Every structure is written in C-alpha cells, then in structure tokens.
C-alpha cells in the first residue's frame, strides 16, 4: 500500500488524512524531513498559506518539500495550491514554484463569499466543490491540464505528477479527487 | 441545519483554522506582527481582555475603523467580537464583512437571558463554553466553532484546562449511555437531544473545538491541545508580554508541535517575560468573565 503524507503544520490535515484512507492509501502526518522521507506522495492541505510558509521556513522544510516535489507527486488544495504556484498575488508572497500556475489569493473575496457549487468534470459527471476563502487560478502555463472549471476559471488542474484544486474535496465524502492523486503514486 | 451548505461553509473555515493560533490585536501594527509570526487569523478588538479587566466600563464591539484597517492590512481571516445577545452589533460586523464573529463573554453582555440566534446569519460564529451543555446550546443556536472560555485576560491557564477537561469528560460519558439515558442527559445538559445523540455516537463535538482564555506561553498552548483542543486563541498573552513578536512565533510553533517536547523546548527559549497573570481563585466572583453566558 502506498503512503501519502499530509503536511500537518496547520490547517485541515485531519480531513485529508481521512480522505486518503477512503481513497485506499495509507496516510501519515508530516511535520519533519524524516516524516517526508517515508512518503510516496504529499498533500499540502487547506489552511492559511502564510502560516504554512512561515513554519516551513522556520523548520527548514521549504527545500525538503521542493526537492520532494522534483521526484514525487504533490497535491495542493486551496492554501496548498498557493504554495505550489509559480506566482502568487493579492498580496504577492513566496511559493515553492512547482507548478506553472499563477494564483490570486482570496480570489472570490472574504468568508461571506465562500460557496458550495456543482462543478462539471471534463471527463463527464459533476461533483460538489466547497470553496472557502478560495484562491483563483489566473494563468496556467503550457503543459498544465485543466480537469474542471467553475465560473470560467480552472479549479482543478494537473501538471505532470502534481495536481491542485482550489476547492476542498476532503470536506465531502466524494473520494474521486483523492483517488486520482493516489493513482499518480 | 447541520447539513445545509451554509453551515458546512461556516464549519469549513473553522476546519482551515485547526492547528493554528488566533491572536487578539488592537491595531494594524499588531495585526501585521501577528500575520508575520504565522497567526492563522486575528481577532480585531479595541482593548485586549487584560485591559478591559483593568479599566472597567462597558466593553463593546470594536470601532469599525480599527476593524476595517486591520481587514485591509492582513490577508488572513479577521474575526471580531460582538456582545452576548447583541444581534445588531453582529449584523453590523456581518455587513462589514468580517470572516468570523465571536459572541464573547469578554465584552459586556447586552442580554442576560438570550444569545444571538446565529442561524440566520451568513457569517460564521464562534462562542465560548465551560461545559458540554453550554457548548451544545451554542451549536443549536448556530455556532460553527466552540472555544473554551477559560478566564480571559488572566494569563492563567487553570480555567481553560478546567473547561476543556470538563467538555471532553462529559463527551466521553455520553458514549457509553443507552438511548433512554441520553434523553435524560439531554435534560440535564439543557441541550437538544439530536445534538446529545450525535456526540454520543461520535465522541466529539459536531464543530471544531478550540481553546481560549489564559494561554500565555507555548507550553500553555501545547497543554490545551494535548487535552483535546484543536487550535488556540491567544488574547492578552502575546501583546501584554515583553517581546510580542518572539512570543507570537513561539506559540505558533507550539500549536504545531504540541506533541514534540524537543520542539517545545526550542519554542520556549529566549522568550522574555510572560504577561504577569492573575490568581483566578482570588478574583471576586463579580469580576469573572466566564460566568457570562447562559
């Protein structure tokens, strides 16, 4: 069985741990480089990207996660998508730069603009997308594949081994997004 | 109500705040220090609880200018406090667009019998609780996050410990009871049977359970998280200490590594003086903030 690490510095890592188990892989919480070394893939969960960046930096994990991403798959949701992006705006901040996407933080506005939407998937069907103070993907580079859109913006994309969603499938019972990530391992 | 999209979104934001530290701030400068130190949200207010306690008078919702300035200065969620029962302060804060409202015992209550009916709001609410009955009544009214009350502005962790231990113990007790016993417990707790049954089946609250009231050190934060809190609020503990920036970073680290004593040791070094703190047992009954709320 493959092992998926969930970065557990801050955020909804517990919900991701359960979602990974529903998708048929083993999940562990990652708080150190030693934890990371045991993983076949990594999830950067939802939460506050500024908090995660700070802790990654203080704990000397920024480089470890970046190096991990050069070899193994990473899936980022919401704050995790912000961390993986090439470019971050509103406001500008540092990132791991592992995917060729530009994201705008809090793209829909504040919490009162958070929403749950039915989103069609490109290969048929639809799913329930939970957006919470979500970012918007404003630009994608060549080689980035859009798997779902909402309101004309990509909300689920992948590039090579990496994947992001700006919404939170871990807050639903639907295992399809996590299953797709597990299949990448 | 608990399966509605609105309620799921409210709880969803609370989920995103787990493992983090929500810091009380009174101006843009403090909010910026908090964000840079890694706070997962800030609570905008006019005076921190320690000053409210010292200065007395009626403590109300913060001035709109302060909250608005803080909202434009930071990118993390901004919360603000409304008085218990003051649903029009809450409406004003909702119109302003704050991300969470704390219906808080730290402010002077506006209603001595009723809390706000939080179900009719789009903005989520957090409420304080000292025991399970209080927590479930607040959830029934629509709170999407519970925090222990502790004793705000005291710098003394003893009440937060008492409250988190009480809530966790009362939840454990429900899990071994039969259906007819739960009906009786619902009456004892003064809480709806539906919620009592949910807790009995799941052994936890249906919304995230955070801790507040008296957290002053990294070890305090780790202690309440060990006891079952999923994140912490730090009120006076940071900006009433000698070196707020260092202390803020240290508490953030402690909330992540609450299970790792070596990391807690790192977080606890070179902190400067903590806030002075009060012996809660020696406070006159009428000065306790935790007894506000019904």
């Amino acid at each position: 069985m493959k092992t998926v690490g969930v970065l557990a510095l801050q955020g909804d890592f517990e919900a991701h741990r359960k979602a990974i188990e529903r998708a048929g892989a083993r999940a562990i919480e990652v708080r150190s480089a030693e934890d990371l070394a045991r993983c076949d893939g990594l999830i950067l969960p939802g939460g506050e990207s500024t908090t995660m960046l700070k802790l990654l930096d203080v704990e000397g994990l920024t480089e470890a996660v970046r190096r991990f991403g050069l070899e193994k798959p990473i899936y980022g949701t919401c704050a995790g998508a912000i961390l993986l992006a090439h470019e971050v705006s509103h406001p500008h901040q540092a990132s791991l730069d592992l995917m060729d996407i530009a994201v705008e933080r809090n793209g829909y506005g504040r919490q009162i603009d958070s929403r749950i939407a039915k989103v069609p998937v490109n290969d048929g069907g639809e799913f329930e997308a939970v957006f919470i103070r979500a970012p918007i993907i404003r630009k994608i580079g060549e080689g980035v594949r859009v798997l779902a859109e909402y309101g004309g913006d990509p909300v689920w994309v992948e590039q090579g081994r990496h994947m992001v969603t700006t919404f939170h499938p871990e807050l639903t019972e639907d295992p399809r997004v996590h299953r797709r990530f597990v299949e990448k391992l | 109500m608990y399966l509605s999209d609105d309620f799921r979104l409210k709880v969803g934001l609370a989920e995103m705040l787990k493992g983090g530290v929500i810091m009380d701030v009174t101006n843009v400068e403090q909010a910026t220090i908090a964000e840079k130190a890694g706070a997962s949200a800030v609570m905008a207010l006019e005076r921190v609880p320690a000053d409210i306690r010292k200065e007395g008078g009626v403590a109300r919702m913060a001035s709109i200018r302060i909250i608005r300035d803080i909202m434009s200065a930071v990118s993390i969620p901004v919360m603000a406090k409304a008085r218990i029962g003051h649903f029009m302060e809450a409406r004003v804060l909702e119109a302003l667009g704050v991300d969470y409202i704390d219906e808080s015992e730290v402010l002077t209550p506006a209603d001595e019998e009723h809390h706000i009916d939080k179900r009719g709001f789009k903005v989520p609410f957090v409420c304080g609780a000292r025991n399970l009955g209080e927590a479930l009544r607040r959830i029934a009214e629509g709170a999407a996050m519970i925090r222990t009350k502790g004793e705000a502005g005291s710098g003394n962790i003893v009440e937060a410990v008492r409250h988190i231990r009480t809530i966790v113990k009362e939840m454990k007790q429900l899990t071994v009871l039969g259906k007819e016993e739960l009906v009786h417990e619902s009456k004892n707790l003064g809480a709806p049977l539906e919620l009592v049954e949910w807790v009995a089946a799941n052994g936890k609250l249906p919304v995230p359970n955070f801790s507040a009231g008296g957290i002053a050190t990294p070890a305090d934060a780790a202690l309440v998280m060990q006891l079952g809190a999923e994140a912490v609020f730090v009120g006076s503990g940071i900006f009433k200490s000698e070196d707020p920036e260092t202390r803020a970073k240290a508490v953030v680290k402690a909330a992540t590594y609450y299970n790792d004593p070596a990391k807690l040791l790192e977080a606890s070094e070179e902190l400067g003086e903590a806030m002075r703190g009060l012996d809660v047992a020696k406070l006159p009954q009428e000065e306790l903030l935790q007894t506000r709320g019904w």
Side-chain angles (χ1 to χ4, degrees), chain A residues 52-64:
Chain A
M52 292 183 213
L53 275 176
K54 181 81 208 170
L55 284 161
L56 282 171
D57 188 37
V58 170
E59 298 307 315
L61 285 171
T62 311
E63 259 322 292

Side-chain angles (χ1 to χ4, degrees), chain A residues 64-100:
Chain A
V65 173
R66 202 195 310 265
R67 276 201 310 275
F68 183 90
L70 295 177
E71 291 172 7
K72 292 178 178 169
I74 302 185
Y75 164 36
T77 55
C78 197
I82 296 167
L83 295 182
L84 284 174
H86 169 64
E87 192 187 318
V88 181
S89 60
H90 188 231
H92 170 74
Q93 66 187 38
S95 59
L96 297 169
D97 191 11
L98 285 165
M99 285 181 74
D100 194 7

Side-chain angles (χ1 to χ4, degrees), chain B residues 28-225:
Chain B
V28 166
E29 188 199 350
Q30 290 182 356
T32 310
I33 291 173
E35 182 177 47
K36 285 203 178 123
S40 56
V42 290
M43 175 79 70
L45 69 178
E46 221 151 54
R47 295 178 286 172
V48 295
D51 288 336
I52 292 175
R53 195 177 275 292
K54 204 161 64 192
E55 292 161 17
V58 175
R60 309 180 180 92
M61 169 181 80
S63 94
I64 298 304
R65 186 185 50 79
I66 292 178
I67 304 171
R68 201 193 291 277
D69 287 351
I70 290 171
M71 284 167 64
S72 15
V74 298
S75 62
I76 55 180
V78 176
M79 304 186 177
K81 290 183 192 289
R83 281 178 269 180
I84 289 175
H86 206 318
F87 54 87
M88 289 319 292
E89 277 189 352
R91 284 294 177 199
V92 170
L93 292 173
E94 180 179 54
L96 178 61
V98 300
D99 297 294
Y100 241 94
I101 294 176
D102 183 1
E103 187 185 14
S104 176
E105 70 282 2
V106 167
L107 305 184
T108 312
D111 189 323
E112 296 193 330
E113 279 178 19
H114 310 99
H115 282 252
I116 298 170
D117 177 8
K118 294 164 273 286
R119 292 167 294 188
F121 286 77
K122 185 136 171 58
V123 62
F125 281 78
V126 51
C127 286
R130 287 172 302 168
N131 53 53
L132 184 58
E134 205 173 354
L136 295 182
R137 285 194 294 281
R138 299 295 85 80
I139 296 167
E141 293 156 359
M145 181 202 298
I146 292 296
R147 57 171 175 77
T148 58
K149 285 181 173 171
E151 186 57 32
S154 71
N156 188 338
I157 196 67
V158 67
E159 296 301 306
V161 166
R162 189 191 321 280
H163 300 161
I164 193 86
R165 277 204 185 270
T166 302
I167 292 173
V168 170
K169 185 171 93 184
E170 289 176 330
M171 290 195 293
K172 279 186 197 157
Q173 286 167 342
L174 289 186
T175 62
V176 297
L177 298 182
K179 279 186 178 165
E180 65 282 15
E181 291 170 309
L182 291 175
V183 176
H184 185 68
E185 273 312 302
S186 156
K187 180 181 147 201
N188 284 345
L189 290 167
L193 179 60
E194 178 199 14
L195 284 172
V196 171
E197 286 179 332
W198 196 96
V199 172
N202 295 279
K204 57 176 191 148
L205 293 179
V207 304
N209 187 10
F210 292 6
S211 184
I215 296 163
T217 70
D220 287 347
L223 176 62
V224 288
M225 294 199 56

Side-chain angles (χ1 to χ4, degrees), chain A residues 9-12 31 46-48 50-51 54-55 59 91 105-106 110-112 114-115 128 131-133 168, chain B residues 8-9 12-13 15-19 36 38-40 71 75-78 97 99 122 253 256-257 263:
Chain A
L9 299 178
Q10 191 273 322
D12 73 335
R31 292 186 180 83
E48 282 308 311
T50 50
T51 305
K54 181 81 208 170
L55 284 161
E59 298 307 315
R105 290 185 59 204
N106 299 324
R110 308 195 69 94
Q111 172 64 10
I112 42 173
S114 290
R115 64 198 67 190
E128 191 180 44
F131 295 97
I132 295 174
R133 286 175 49 95
H168 296 281
Chain B
R8 289 172 60 205
L9 286 169
L13 181 54
E15 291 284 338
M16 299 309 144
L17 296 170
K18 281 185 179 176
K36 285 203 178 123
S40 56
M71 284 167 64
S75 62
I76 55 180
V78 176
D99 297 294
K122 185 136 171 58
K253 183 162 171 158
T256 298
Y257 294 102
K263 292 279 188 192

